[in-house]
């Protein structure tokens, strides 16, 4: 089966929303053994849309079309498909009544333009959208089935999971089983990872892929066929042997999710005092519902005065060692933990750049401390040649990893091989 | 001139990095009057790459190829282009020596795999990459120039600005001048905006586009030709008349940039106390270099205990009115401002959901206060039927807008027409 995707709409050519849909879609299908072989993104010109629908329908078996079902004048996917098929647009009574009910239920006034969303190419199969005003639809043209879905991510994802995947699994059963294993790594660049791992012999059917989730890089072990699947465990062990502490999680794409889960399940409480990471550690956790169960507070103490007044850092410490120092970050962590006697406290202080560096402490110097009820762990890392955003996100990731290791009862301060550290 | 883009690599079909490149590229070129008419994303199969290079080179005049120049085994763009041209790969001596110098300068060991990055199709024009290890190159095939660039965003952007844009401006001069005006709006959905603005007559050459930067929607007025350009001022006035306070900024995509600029220039200091926004307000500002000049502290006081201990909120207030209330958020703002006698303090407290709502205060209830040296402004908004992420980002945006209006000497509490408010 040849699967392709067409992303439509000016907001796609110039926006991000649907691009994340495309990534999610390809990724989701790939993990079910179906590769999206080509993705085409076109703008709002009606003739371009008609042309690409006709062209790809002679090449692919299934085409996922995303976007352009909205109510505005530059949403033209439906009209273009009708032209490609040579059929008129007809109002789908079922969807029109759903629309009216949807707006009534949400106590909103239905804009006139929404009525357009009930018009489908004659003969199209309506695809329900349980969470939005744009229904999808499916049509057959030449050799291909074209599936039309809205650009709103949570609407799109739900329709893919509930309707698109069951359809292809029924009509295009896989010839062989597939499996994927993901390892989240921290501290190695993609090329360094590739160099380190190329010594591992990969049996037929196993492919090694990389995906960047700054500052993490995910290693994806994809296996097609039972023999390949059986070999995954051995390969995974090899990868972990080579990368050591560089592997920080499995089958998730960020550590904040891992920290959130572990804190929720353990019942431990956390306070955070951030300087250079400036709220990233806290907001990463607050993003998850239920974080209020363990997060006492996240204090962005950016100025020295705030470090003294809010966290009780000794002014003498700031004078003697500077704001970016093991001594200061340890007092920040102790202070943050003490306010509400939290089980744990994380603290960061660093020079994110691009300015503010010195010979002694260049841009990329980041001090991190983890305070527990029984003691304190700290380290000062060197993260040179990196952007402000990357220094901040790396500092956040390493802080999460220190807490993760503590919660697992592992050594908190470890070598990541790709970061160097100031000696205390 | 017909411009297209080809994004390559498995990490593109399944990743985000290059997708943001594509959006940025199309957007950047569009503002120069050059529309990217099609974007094709293909995976790592060598034959697919060769096929798409050959196919599009007969359709487009210029093709931007992004990604697949890395050192890993699944970076195949260069090899594929050589095959499409029917020429061998030859080492580019100039780039090899640059590579060696680059690694020496950055005190890093050059991985063997990096040498691959000095191989170019015979006859290709090498395009310098001043900030990375992958050089770009340009080749002519059929009617099209193909420009190859690396996927790393800051490398890609710099090469586009410094080399690609000058090239097309020289070889494909615009037939007529173009201009674009962007208005950042808050609180209106895209379809509501379209409905409200469709009454504005658009002269020929003017197009109205929308781009979502959650929670903002940007209105883009694009004009091609002098008459169209001259009409932009009138249209902009019309838009502002219709949307009123919904227009919160011009020619920027988020309010944090605006707040950062105004605080840096005004010399005023800011403290922040966040509950439901959980660090988003602070981290949005810390993202900008120089924010330490005005940001005293950003306190994520998530628990009631933290509100009492860190901000000095009266426990009685929490008992009488609850954590999500005008009374509490005002005390949070006063407390945050008082710690270091900041000029301003913002405070938020709300129910981001999906749980925690009540009949009296449903999910989406967000209280926001701005404390100044002279008084305090507060409001409690209703943001129903929105995701946790959207409630948090809207709360952040409205808090920024309150401060923006104060800094401009405008009314701080205003109607956005699309949000309702609890009466005090």
């Amino acid at each position: 089966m040849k699967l392709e995707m067409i992303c439509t709409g000016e907001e796609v050519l110039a926006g991000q929303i649907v691009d994340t849909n495309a990534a999610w879609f390809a990724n989701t299908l790939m993990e079910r053994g179906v590769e999206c072989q080509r993705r085409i993104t076109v703008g709002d010109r009606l003739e371009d849309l008609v042309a690409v629908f006709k062209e790809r329908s002679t090449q692919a078996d299934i085409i996922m079309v995303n976007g352009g079902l909205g109510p505005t004048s530059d949403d033209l996917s439906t009209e273009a498909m009708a032209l490609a098929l040579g059929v008129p647009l007809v109002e789908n009574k079922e969807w029109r009544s759903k629309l009216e009910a949807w707006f009534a239920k949400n106590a909103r006034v239905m804009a006139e333009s929404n009525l357009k969303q009930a018009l489908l190419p004659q003969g199209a199969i309506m695809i329900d959208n349980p969470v939005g005003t744009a229904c999808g639809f499916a049509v057959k043209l030449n050799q291909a089935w074209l599936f039309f879905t809205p650009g709103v991510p949570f609407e799109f994802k739900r329709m893919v999971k509930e309707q698109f995947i069951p359809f292809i699994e029924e009509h295009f059963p896989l010839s062989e089983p597939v499996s994927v294993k993901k390892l989240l790594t921290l501290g190695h660049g993609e090329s360094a990872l590739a160099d380190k791992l190329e010594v591992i012999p990969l049996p037929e059917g196993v492919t090694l892929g990389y995906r960047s989730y700054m500052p993490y890089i995910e290693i994806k072990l994809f296996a097609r066929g039972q023999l390949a699947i059986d070999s995954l465990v051995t390969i995974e062990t090899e990868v972990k042997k080579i990368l050591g502490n560089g592997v920080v999680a499995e089958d998730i794409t960020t550590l904040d999710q891992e920290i959130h889960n572990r804190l929720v399940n353990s019942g431990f409480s956390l306070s955070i005092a951030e300087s250079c990471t400036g709220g990233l550690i806290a907001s990463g956790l607050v993003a998850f519902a239920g974080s209020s169960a363990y997060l006492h507070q996240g204090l962005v103490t950016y100025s020295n005065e705030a470090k003294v007044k809010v966290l009780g850092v000794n002014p003498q410490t700031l004078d003697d060692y500077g704001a970016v120092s093991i001594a200061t970050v340890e007092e920040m962590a102790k202070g943050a933990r003490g306010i509400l006697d939290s089980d744990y406290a994380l603290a960061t202080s660093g020079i994110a750049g691009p300015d503010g560096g010195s010979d002694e402490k260049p841009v990329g110097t980041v001090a991190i401390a983890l305070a527990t009820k029984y003691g304190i762990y700290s380290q000062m890392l060197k993260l040179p040649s990196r952007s402000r955003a990357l220094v901040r996100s790396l500092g956040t990731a390493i802080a999460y990893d220190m807490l993760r290791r503590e919660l697992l009862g592992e050594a908190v301060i470890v070598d990541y091989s790709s970061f160097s550290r100031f000696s205390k």
Side-chain angles (χ1 to χ4, degrees), chain A:
Chain A
M1 177 198 56
K2 194 161 178 223
L3 171 69
E4 298 191 352
M5 183 174 195
I6 297 176
C7 303
T8 75
E10 202 55 45
E11 74 275 18
V12 190
L13 264 178
Q16 283 111 324
I17 293 176
V18 178
D19 288 340
T20 63
N21 283 357
W24 176 87
F25 177 74
N27 206 33
T28 303
L29 272 288
M30 203 275 259
E31 288 171 17
R32 284 168 177 73
V34 181
E35 286 169 283
C36 183
Q37 305 198 11
R38 186 185 277 215
R39 180 164 80 238
I40 299 178
T41 309
V42 286
D44 291 331
R45 275 187 229 70
L46 197 60
E47 61 275 23
D48 288 358
L49 291 167
V50 175
V52 76
F53 293 158
K54 286 181 174 172
E55 171 198 321
R56 301 319 301 172
S57 67
T58 64
Q59 304 296 321
D61 302 309
I62 296 202
I63 302 171
M64 167 57 71
V65 184
N66 188 233
L69 301 186
T72 71
S73 59
D74 52 10
D75 290 303
L76 296 169
S77 296
T78 308
E79 184 181 349
M81 191 65 237
L83 287 170
L85 288 163
V87 301
L89 288 171
V90 294
E91 182 174 82
N92 183 289
K93 298 274 171 288
E94 181 186 356
W95 190 251
R96 182 187 173 131
S97 48
K98 278 210 181 196
L99 268 183
E100 288 162 347
W102 190 90
F103 277 93
K105 178 171 143 294
N106 288 275
R108 296 196 192 170
V109 181
M110 178 158 74
E112 263 308 304
S113 51
N114 285 107
L115 281 181
K116 173 186 160 205
Q117 298 182 290
L119 297 176
L120 299 184
Q122 192 173 57
I125 302 166
M126 190 269 275
I127 296 173
D128 182 42
N129 176 350
V131 286
T133 64
C135 70
F137 63 91
V139 298
K140 186 86 189 279
L141 176 62
N142 298 320
Q143 72 176 55
W145 272 103
L146 293 96
F147 263 75
F148 287 74
T149 51
V152 182
F154 73 93
E155 299 177 15
F156 170 68
K157 291 176 182 179
R158 185 145 169 192
M159 290 165 78
V160 167
K161 283 182 195 154
E162 295 180 2
Q163 285 154 107
F164 182 73
I165 288 174
F167 177 91
I168 60 169
E169 284 177 345
E170 181 190 338
H171 291 72
F172 302 89
L174 286 178
S175 51
E176 44 190 357
V178 298
S179 177
V180 63
K181 177 69 186 181
K182 303 176 196 169
L183 300 172
L184 194 68
T185 72
L186 183 61
H188 298 82
E190 190 176 329
S191 59
L193 281 177
D195 280 351
K196 284 170 179 274
L197 300 183
E198 72 182 356
V199 299
I200 302 176
L202 297 180
E204 180 164 2
V206 176
T207 54
L208 194 68
Y210 303 92
R211 186 173 180 185
S212 175
Y213 295 93
M214 189 179 98
Y216 311 95
I217 290 181
E218 177 185 82
I219 298 173
K220 192 177 294 174
L221 297 166
F222 182 76
R224 185 185 297 274
Q226 197 51 52
L227 279 175
I229 292 172
D230 297 341
S231 72
L232 281 187
V233 180
T234 321
I235 299 170
E236 181 186 338
T237 312
E238 278 302 304
V239 171
K240 288 178 176 171
K241 199 185 301 171
I242 293 171
L243 299 182
N245 300 313
V247 177
V248 293
E250 300 184 16
D251 299 318
I252 56 171
T253 57
T254 60
L255 276 182
D256 44 18
Q257 172 83 69
E258 171 116 358
I259 295 298
H260 172 78
N261 296 344
R262 292 194 183 280
L263 286 176
V264 166
N265 297 332
S266 65
F268 289 126
S269 57
L270 173 68
S271 286
I272 304 164
E274 303 181 67
S275 190
C276 66
T277 52
L280 286 182
I281 299 177
S283 58
L285 297 174
V286 175
F288 299 102
S291 46
S292 51
Y294 58 82
L295 182 59
H296 277 158
Q297 59 204 339
L299 313 173
V300 179
T301 49
Y302 217 45
S303 64
N304 283 351
E305 298 75 9
K307 293 179 177 73
V308 171
K309 280 220 175 187
V310 178
L311 301 174
V313 171
N314 184 338
Q316 195 61 46
T317 306
L318 290 163
D319 292 343
D320 294 347
Y321 303 94
V324 179
S325 63
I326 291 283
T328 295
V329 82
E330 286 190 347
E331 290 190 22
M332 287 170 67
K334 282 182 197 155
R337 201 193 72 75
I339 294 171
L340 298 173
D341 191 32
S342 311
D343 294 297
Y344 297 105
L346 284 168
T348 63
S349 184
I351 301 154
D355 310 316
S358 66
D359 294 348
E360 191 200 353
K361 294 173 184 175
V363 168
T365 301
V366 179
I368 310 174
L370 167 66
T372 75
K373 290 196 173 212
Y374 311 104
I376 188 152
Y377 307 92
S378 63
Q379 59 183 325
M380 191 153 78
L381 296 140
K382 301 177 181 179
L383 311 171
S385 320
R386 292 173 173 88
S387 70
R388 177 179 181 85
L390 189 51
V391 169
R392 296 179 66 219
S393 60
L394 272 174
T396 300
I398 295 166
Y400 283 146
D401 197 43
M402 288 170 69
L403 178 54
R404 178 188 72 89
R405 306 184 131 273
E406 168 69 16
L407 290 168
L408 286 169
E410 297 177 0
V412 171
I413 308 289
V414 295
D415 288 325
Y416 297 96
S417 85
S418 56
F419 305 134
S420 60
R421 188 184 295 124
F422 289 81
S423 50
K424 288 197 185 184

